[in-house]
Amino acid sequence: RHIASQSAVVGTLKDKIQALGTKKAPQVVSLRKEQGGKSLGDVTVGMCIGGMRGIKCMLSETSYLDPMEGIRYRGRTLKECNALLPKAAKGKVGLPEAAMWLMLTDEIPSDSEVAALNEELHRRETLPSYVVDLIDGLPKDMHPMTQLSMGLLALQPTSEFARAYRGGLMKKTDYWTYVLEDGLSLVAQIPILSARIFRNVFFDGKHIPSDQKLDWAGNYAHMLGVNDTDAFKEVTRLYLMIHADHEGGNVSAHTTHLVGSALSDPYYSFSAGVNGLAGPLHGLANQECLRWLKATRETLGGKEPTVEILTQFAKDTLASGKVIPGFGHGALRATDPRYTIQMEFAKENMPDDPLLKLASVCYEAIPPVLQATGKVSNPWPNVDALSGTCMQHYGLTQEDYYTVVFAVSRSMGC
């Protein structure tokens, strides 16, 4: 693949990114010159042993994790983003591709800009035939994340950055333009690739064609084919928007940036990040939370969940040496706003879901139990406590696939 001509929307994006870079560059120069010798704090042996936990050593422009307000995209809280970003027709959820525009430019895009961006993503979405053949030939029992990583690497020969670098065609000041080209193509292709993996593994290779009239996230939901309602498209948009970025220190983002710092192109870099995301301590958390909720409901044996019952259940769980997934966060010190946004959506769209009712009671019962131990700095629910519940309600019950959805979202931020 070679981009033969630059579309108007890509030209607009490049102009806006360059303008933002021109604005930010003097700030970086000044910061380095005037504050470069100042310390950001002490580093202890325990921090090093703990994998750099608590060490301030990274700069993140696109997002910031506030301990009380949660993740911010370019200074806007997720609640503000959800309200301000353009939406699908008759939709209430800020479009994730609009969030990507915001992260790239520090501007809320117009409806027409998002429409043009979606047209551009559709223009780039077609997978090379050799990638399709590779994915279709993989064993159906191979984990979907393994298949996704292989598919991303298989796309690497299409990299504009790699081609230009090998040809000696780039100045250092132009690197970002080729990275942007690859980034846009990767974001365009990953829903197609991921949906193909899903339909191969779980639906005997019966595929649903891309609908280019739909937005990026709505089309992804459409191609999954588990539910053709507008509500499923909306919950998919919501999930992809709130998971799009999370500073640069988490495993998948840090890995992507680290590999990219060697001038590895975005396909190499993000496939490495996807491998980190596949780990049980990172991307698998939402399915672990869903499994815990399901097991808890079975243990209750049909009893209506109450705060009293769940309080005792939580105490018994901790006393047995087990953990309660979905509660706590390494940096947050309050309820994860992503959890709150999902809960608001769920209560409006799926109020009678039995797992939602259980999750709601858990929200009341479990934090006091965790607080009482004196060992937990944040006893409140995080995003994983509810995201799997929302997916399964609309028929996306294939838990091994949940991390792939996470990866589709994180392609925009990494």
Side-chain angles (χ1 to χ4, degrees):
R1 170 190 57 85
H2 298 306
I3 304 301
S5 60
Q6 178 176 284
S7 68
V9 69
V10 174
T12 298
L13 263 179
K14 287 182 177 179
D15 288 344
K16 289 180 179 294
I17 293 170
Q18 190 160 37
L20 182 61
T22 300
K23 175 183 175 183
K24 292 282 187 178
Q27 298 174 15
V28 176
V29 171
S30 175
L31 189 64
R32 188 193 300 272
K33 181 178 179 180
E34 298 174 14
Q35 310 293 336
K38 292 190 176 180
S39 172
L40 292 175
D42 295 330
V43 177
T44 67
V45 173
M47 287 176 172
C48 293
I49 294 174
M52 300 196 304
R53 183 176 293 276
I55 299 176
K56 295 181 176 67
C57 60
M58 301 186 75
L59 181 65
S60 177
E61 280 283 332
T62 54
S63 64
Y64 166 70
L65 182 56
D66 185 283
M68 302 306 296
E69 294 184 306
I71 200 71
R72 288 173 172 266
Y73 294 164
R74 292 285 184 180
R76 286 88 165 174
T77 66
L78 288 181
K79 185 174 182 179
E80 291 169 338
C81 288
N82 203 33
L84 294 172
L85 292 173
K87 298 164 179 60
K90 300 181 181 178
K92 297 181 180 179
V93 174
L95 291 172
E97 55 270 40
M100 181 177 72
W101 184 289
L102 168 63
M103 288 188 284
L104 287 171
T105 67
D106 196 15
E107 295 179 10
I108 299 290
S110 66
D111 289 345
S112 60
E113 286 171 331
V114 174
L117 177 60
N118 267 306
E119 288 181 12
E120 179 66 19
L121 294 176
H122 280 305
R123 186 172 78 89
R124 294 169 179 252
E125 70 182 20
T126 303
L127 299 175
S129 59
Y130 71 87
V131 175
V132 173
D133 291 342
L134 169 69
I135 295 302
D136 289 354
L138 294 175
K140 301 302 179 282
D141 59 353
M142 179 183 286
H143 196 283
M145 284 295 281
T146 308
Q147 298 192 39
L148 178 61
S149 179
M150 293 176 68
L152 289 168
L153 280 176
L155 286 166
Q156 189 279 330
T158 69
S159 168
E160 291 291 310
F161 180 90
R163 178 185 63 83
Y165 191 86
R166 285 195 305 270
L169 303 177
M170 287 190 296
K171 299 177 181 178
K172 285 186 177 180
T173 51
D174 292 333
Y175 284 178
W176 71 270
T177 63
Y178 290 89
V179 170
L180 178 65
E181 288 289 350
D182 282 354
L184 289 172
S185 294
L186 192 156
V187 168
Q189 292 167 318
I190 196 169
I192 312 297
L193 174 62
S194 300
R196 191 165 197 91
I197 292 168
F198 179 76
R199 299 297 297 188
N200 279 344
V201 173
F202 301 108
F203 288 88
D204 298 321
K206 299 174 182 176
H207 300 290
I208 299 173
S210 171
D211 183 348
Q212 297 200 355
K213 297 188 297 295
L214 290 171
D215 55 280
W216 181 78
N219 187 43
Y220 178 44
H222 159 74
M223 289 185 294
L224 291 177
V226 297
N227 189 314
D228 200 32
T229 64
D230 289 338
F232 179 57
K233 292 182 179 67
E234 278 285 90
V235 79
T236 302
R237 293 175 184 121
L238 182 65
Y239 182 96
L240 299 182
M241 191 276 284
I242 65 176
H243 285 83
D245 202 29
H246 203 254
E247 278 193 342
N250 63 80
V251 171
S252 55
H254 181 54
T255 301
T256 302
H257 297 170
L258 181 63
V259 175
S261 71
L263 296 187
S264 299
D265 63 64
Y267 293 98
Y268 279 135
S269 302
F270 189 59
S271 66
V274 163
N275 292 338
L277 188 62
L281 296 183
H282 190 12
L284 297 188
N286 59 356
Q287 69 190 62
E288 295 299 323
C289 293
L290 178 60
R291 288 170 180 168
W292 185 85
L293 281 174
K294 288 180 175 179
T296 300
R297 186 164 176 253
E298 289 181 9
T299 301
L300 294 179
K303 292 181 182 177
E304 185 72 19
T306 65
V307 172
E308 292 74 22
I309 291 175
L310 265 296
T311 296
Q312 188 59 51
F313 185 83
K315 290 179 178 178
D316 293 343
T317 298
L318 295 178
S320 69
K322 299 177 182 178
V323 299
I324 301 174
F327 288 78
H329 191 279
L332 285 170
R333 294 297 175 263
T335 299
D336 191 334
R338 297 173 298 176
Y339 172 92
T340 303
I341 291 171
Q342 286 187 120
M343 180 60 79
E344 291 172 354
F345 178 93
K347 285 184 175 179
E348 180 178 347
N349 292 277
M350 43 184 269
D352 297 325
D353 185 276
L355 288 181
L356 174 64
K357 291 181 178 179
L358 177 58
S360 298
V361 177
C362 286
Y363 178 75
E364 297 182 62
I366 292 176
V369 174
L370 295 176
Q371 280 181 316
T373 67
K375 302 176 182 179
V376 180
S377 56
N378 174 15
W380 306 106
N382 59 53
V383 65
D384 299 311
L386 199 58
S387 56
T389 297
C390 293
M391 290 181 182
Q392 65 82 38
H393 176 82
Y394 290 102
L396 189 57
T397 58
Q398 297 82 359
E399 295 166 15
D400 279 347
Y401 186 76
Y402 287 2
T403 316
V404 176
V405 184
F406 195 163
V408 172
S409 174
R410 196 53 60 85
S411 68
M412 295 182 292
C414 281

